[in-house]
Amino acid sequence: MSTPLIELRDIRKSYGGVDTPKVEVVRGISLAIHPGEFVAIVGASGSGKSTLMNILGCLDRPTSGDYLFAGKDVAQLDSDELAWLRREAFGFVFQGYHLIASGSAQENVEMPAIYAGTPAAERHARASALLDRLGLASRTGNRPHQLSGGQQQRVSIARALMNGGHIILADEPTGALDSQSGAEVMALLDELASQGHVVILITHDREVAARAKRVIEIRDGLVVSDSANEPAAPCTASPGLQAEDLRQRLDQGATHSGAWKGEMLEALQAAWRIMWINRFRTALTLLGIIIGVASVVVMLAVGEGSKRQVMAQMAAFGSNILYLSGSAPTLREPAGVISLDDVAAVSTLPQVKKIMPVIGNELMVRFGNNNQQFYVGGNNTYFPEIFNWPVVEGSFFTEADEQAAAAVAVIGQKVKQKLFGDQLDPIGQYILVENVPFQVVGILQGKGASSGDQDSDERIVVPYSAAAIRLFGSQHPEYVTIAAADSRRVAETEAAIDKLMLKLHHGKRDFELSNDAALIQAEARTQNTLSLMLGSIAAISLLVGGIGVMNIMLMTVRERTREIGIRMATGARQRDILRQFLSEAVLLSMVGGLTGIALALLIGGALLLGDIAVAFSLAAVLGAFACAVVTGVVFGFMPARKAAQLDPVKALTSE
Ligand code: ADP
Ligand code: MG
């Protein structure tokens, strides 16, 4: 005689034990089922039939005893191999149909084939053919709630047959059906048995059981009679299926990776459907991600916009300007000093076009009763040229004023406004700078606010010599402004000045050189810090969004525990379930991310209309989107793993 397909040896199953009394529901069942058999297991309600079937179908493990499938000990199989058995060897038909409510008849039937990695075209064709054969050709697009009980049961039979259905396990398949539909389902099972499928039919109804060739009766978890033990019982092995075949295929194929593309597509479709069904809840939960992504993108865009604005402003001051100053004092060295001799020497360098020593400070300035503090700087006659800053009224002081240390002043627009108001013409008037009278000879063009705290129009320019002698009592310039001859050779000029200065100072680097480009860079760095800070605020809202995703996924997993059970019963491996829920989480956060980006563009547009500089960068948009996706993966993982690790039978029987 051939190896039995299924062999149970003293199988026992008990429930409870920790806080509830321990009940043994299956109390030592031994039986063997061979290929080609049509077996009915009959018994009163509560006698342990369903428990036994769950063990037979590898949905549940026995508490003790051995289960050999095609001679192989099932206790030794890992979860992937058990999933293979459920997918390839068994086909389940339940009393409550157990169809996935959100899928059509066609999709429900196709599910086992998706997990088996069957190509889409083949899958569609086979499912259509099966539904056609079961008389449901016109109902393929219907969802379960649009089908009658009998039709739903036929869909579940089609699903059981999808991957071959070598062993059909039917638990009270007619229990919920009217007699007509019940008879149809029984006729179908009869037909399948005659075609060589092993059919194990579980029922409490002796009349139904009588359709089977072999009837096993159980009572209180024990076999009380088995017609196979009667000498007359026939046992014809089917020509098609041999236990060895299945066993070989199990050994080879259980670990195959499946067609992840098909599964992914199916998972995404299912995810989309679930999201759509719960769209209001989904939208609310996604607000965190939407706001997070939108704020990242908008904040970075505003940061970048103002950075560009600052750079453009600074470029207006000219980019060929270098600054030379004495180095700041250290513990060991006093402050470096630049002398006017140094200035004279540097001015002879061919790379230097103009040179201007500067000495200045905030000083009290008085006109009449009007006392104000302004920046007063001693500069030379190159000032308008170096800073590209002309005089609009009167004239700049002259070389002769410089030679004579004349007490003359050129004032900025704000100084004019604040000291003289609109009425009086300042030209020719005397102002007191720290009680030294200076005559106003010219007014500078308005420059507009520069960056930082200093307003460039609140400025008074006097001859260097006058400032040094009359105001500051020092000949040494505070710093020296140098215009390079060629704005493309600023670095070269800087090197030449550096070399000369080192020589003049006998190799001592007690001076510092910088240029506008460096200042712009420094400015850009401040702006970057600002962007970073704003970005981290946005990151926090992304985190909140991630927690939202986790929350919604945990809720989904709980609500769909039964669906997870159905998927496992039709052969989904743990990693299939993990992948499905993970792709749901990722899809969810991708939708959130895209919405956030759209929102950011809208806000950006509004800001632009409000005259605020905004510069969207592709990197920021992509980065924020990637953050959203990563959030989905990170926060979706825990719920997805929770779903994947559910116990099949517990998931299936959950409410
Ligand atoms: P049948 O399908 O023959 O009606 P079951 O196998 O469903 O019977 O249940 C047999 C017995 O096991 C019942 O008394 C039931 O209360 C008990 N039982 C089934 N599942 C569980 C469970 N998960 N926890 C505790 N008891 C259970
Ligand atoms: Mg039952």
Side-chain angles (χ1 to χ4, degrees), residues 44-51 95 171-172 202:
S45 177
S47 56
K49 307 182 297 294
S50 295
T51 308
Q95 177 173 2
D171 187 357
E172 308 268 14
I202 285 173

Side-chain angles (χ1 to χ4, degrees), residues 209-237:
R211 304 283 288 263
K213 299 206 180 61
R214 174 181 168 192
V215 178
I216 299 171
E217 186 176 350
I218 67 173
R219 190 181 302 152
D220 292 334
L222 282 171
V223 175
V224 292
S225 78
D226 184 346
S227 65
N229 298 334
E230 295 157 21
C235 183
T236 50

